[in-house]
């Protein structure tokens, strides 16, 4: 049990405990990995780093300016019989909302949702490939078919497949990565480890940013027709290389990269990559040596197993939004904790697999993070002192360079020998499709 004074965030759920637990878990895994590779270095974290990293997007400054957080069609909207939460940050999702409801702006969204039942809005937008859920209380979610099908599923699972090369033999020679900071050890725990990153938004990129800052060669591949939101890339892009590759034409090239990777992360909705020969079972055959990670919003089975989703959407469906609401209006956690906690949980499992020298298949879902948080004792039950807000902690921003200008950003929540792990952020889509060594 990881307990401590509740100082960062208010609200009825112990988000702070969740954050501390997952960051300390990955800290311990990183320290064990460093020792396994013969590195005499001290790895630790701080409360300030942990708290700030869970709000990394909020703390980001691009050439002194804060990025816009939400799109026009994102957020809570009142329906005829309740509330709906929509996600329209990405242009293709906003276009679906616009087309399904026949609207042009936020006023039209509120008008059209307001005259419909929330179940209709949820069903029609989801059927068209958009992102929307009816806001449910916990007892309502517990009666939902997807909850009934997945209630016994863990937040994360690890399947051990077979042996793999010892860490000491991974892509020698071990050398300091490009962009290393003066005074940092010349060798980092993941130097020489290749990570193929097929994730987007927050959870997966948070995980792979940490791996990159621990020395891994992280190559992220994005589809050119669905670009990432720039601020999200900048807030989780330290140390990575990001290339564009269209799987509709170049899936063979991605399979070649996968065959040479030590770690592969897939954040697409379940089944989305199967047609390209890049589903989890395909990757187990293509890259039998690799630690594989499959990240989903709702898990991989049940009525919603094939749906896409986001942290805010899972909060709304499962009862968190109702618990965090006031005066009959739903609310949200103070940070997108399901994403960040899941990202650190994935990183911990990856490091564990590398320490043990085993090829594993890791499955993580945001729904499991929500279930875990809802099952935690309330903050009051821990007899913690009242929250005083995140302003009580100094935000440990660092200055880093990016192709889009100077950034003030929060580094990953680990330190080596008391130093934070910031790295430069490369240009979006500017990397070569290939490994550096």
């Amino acid at each position: 049990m990881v307990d401590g004074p509740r100082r960062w965030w208010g609200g009825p759920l112990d988000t702070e405990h969740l954050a501390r637990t997952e960051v300390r878990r990955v800290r311990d895994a990183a320290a064990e990995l460093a020792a396994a590779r013969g590195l005499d270095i001290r790895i630790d974290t701080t409360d300030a780093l942990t708290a700030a990293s869970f709000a990394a997007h909020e703390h980001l400054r691009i050439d002194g300016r804060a990025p816009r957080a939400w799109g026009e069609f994102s957020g809570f909207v009142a329906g005829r019989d309740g509330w709906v939460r929509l996600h329209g940050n990405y242009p293709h999702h906003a276009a679906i909302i616009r087309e399904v409801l026949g609207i042009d702006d936020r006023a039209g969204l509120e008008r059209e949702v307001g005259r419909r039942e929330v179940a209709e809005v949820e069903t029609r937008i989801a059927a068209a490939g958009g992102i929307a859920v009816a806001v449910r209380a916990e007892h309502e979610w517990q009666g939902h078919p997807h909850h009934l099908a997945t209630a016994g599923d863990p937040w994360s699972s690890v399947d051990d497949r077979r042996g793999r090369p010892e860490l000491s033999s991974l892509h020698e020679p071990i050398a300091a990565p490009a962009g290393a900071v003066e005074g940092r050890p010349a060798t980092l725990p993941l130097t020489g480890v290749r990570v193929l990153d097929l994730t987007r938004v927050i959870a997966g990129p948070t995980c792979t940013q940490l791996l990159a800052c621990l020395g891994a060669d992280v190559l992220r591949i994005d589809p050119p027709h669905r670009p990432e939101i720039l601020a999200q890339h900048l807030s989780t892009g330290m140390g990575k290389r990001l290339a564009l590759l269209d799987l509709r034409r170049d899936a063979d090239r991605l399979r070649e990269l996968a065959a040479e990777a030590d770690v592969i992360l897939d954040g697409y909705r379940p089944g989305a990559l199967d047609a390209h020969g890049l589903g989890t079972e395909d990757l187990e055959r293509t890259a039998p040596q690799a630690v594989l990670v499959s990240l989903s919003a709702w898990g991989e089975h049940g009525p919603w197993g094939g749906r896409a989703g986001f942290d805010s959407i899972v909060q709304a469906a499962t009862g968190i939004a109702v618990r965090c609401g006031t005066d009959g209006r739903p609310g949200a956690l103070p940070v997108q904790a399901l994403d960040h906690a899941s990202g650190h949980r994935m990183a911990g499992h990856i490091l564990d697999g590398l320490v043990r020298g085993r090829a594993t298949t890791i499955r993580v879902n945001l729904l499991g993070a929500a279930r875990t948080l809802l099952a935690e004792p309330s903050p009051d039950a821990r007899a913690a002192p009242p929250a005083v807000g995140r302003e009580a902690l100094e935000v440990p921003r660092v200055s880093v360079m990016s192709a889009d200008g100077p950034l003030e950003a929060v580094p990953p929540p680990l330190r080596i020998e008391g130093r934070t792990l910031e790295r430069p952020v490369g240009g979006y889509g500017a990397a070569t499709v290939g490994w550096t060594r």
Side-chain angles (χ1 to χ4, degrees), residues 60-342:
L60 178 68
R61 299 294 181 268
I62 306 168
D63 200 14
R65 299 183 301 275
R68 181 179 178 182
W70 297 100
E72 181 183 16
F73 294 155
S74 294
F76 296 108
V77 183
R80 196 165 69 195
D81 59 342
W83 292 84
V84 178
R85 178 127 201 186
L86 303 102
H87 199 288
N89 285 6
Y90 287 94
H92 61 289
H93 289 150
I96 291 170
I97 295 170
R98 188 180 294 110
E99 181 178 349
V100 168
L101 298 178
I103 60 171
D104 295 317
D105 54 23
R106 182 74 186 198
L109 174 67
E110 294 178 358
R111 181 187 65 250
E112 291 302 313
V113 172
R115 68 185 188 86
R116 290 174 166 86
E117 294 185 353
V118 295
E120 176 197 347
V121 177
E122 175 185 86
T123 300
R124 289 184 60 195
I125 290 177
I131 310 292
V133 294
V135 175
R136 294 173 172 87
E138 286 175 76
H139 72 274
E140 293 172 315
W141 176 248
Q142 288 165 4
H144 190 276
H146 190 72
H147 170 78
L148 297 174
T150 60
D153 293 354
W155 179 3
S156 61
S157 65
V158 180
D159 296 325
D160 197 330
R161 303 196 317 273
R162 62 181 293 278
R164 52 167 288 122
E166 292 297 320
L167 283 172
S168 60
S169 68
L170 286 175
H171 313 301
E172 297 285 5
I174 296 175
V181 175
E182 183 179 355
R184 185 178 297 162
T187 301
L188 294 170
L190 287 180
T191 302
V193 174
R194 294 171 177 161
V195 178
L196 182 60
D197 181 6
L198 307 178
T199 69
R200 293 160 65 82
V201 198
I202 297 176
T206 292
C207 170
T208 55
Q209 176 175 256
L210 177 59
L211 301 182
C213 289
L214 287 172
D217 177 16
V218 176
L219 176 62
R220 174 171 160 175
I221 302 292
D222 271 17
H225 59 291
R226 294 281 172 83
E228 180 63 282
I229 297 167
L230 180 61
Q232 288 182 175
H233 161 62
L234 295 176
S235 67
T236 57
M238 291 185 189
K240 305 180 196 178
R241 296 179 298 117
L242 197 154
L244 302 179
L245 191 70
D246 192 337
L247 297 187
R248 297 169 297 185
R249 296 191 297 269
D250 297 317
D252 287 346
R253 180 63 181 125
L254 191 56
R255 284 191 289 270
E256 291 171 1
L257 293 170
E260 298 177 335
D262 303 300
V263 180
I264 306 170
L265 297 95
D266 163 24
Y268 287 76
R269 61 179 176 78
L273 294 181
D274 291 358
H276 302 290
L278 291 161
T280 301
E281 292 183 0
D282 299 311
L283 290 172
E284 288 177 343
R285 292 188 291 269
T286 300
Q289 78 288 348
V291 174
L292 304 179
V293 183
S294 176
L295 169 67
S296 63
W298 307 102
E300 298 184 4
H301 70 100
W304 286 11
R307 284 195 184 190
F310 297 95
D311 181 311
S312 59
I313 296 297
V314 175
Q315 288 187 44
T318 58
I320 291 175
V322 171
R323 287 277 295 273
C324 294
T326 56
D327 299 325
R329 182 183 178 89
L333 296 172
V335 292
Q336 295 196 63
L338 311 184
D339 265 329
H340 288 281
S342 294

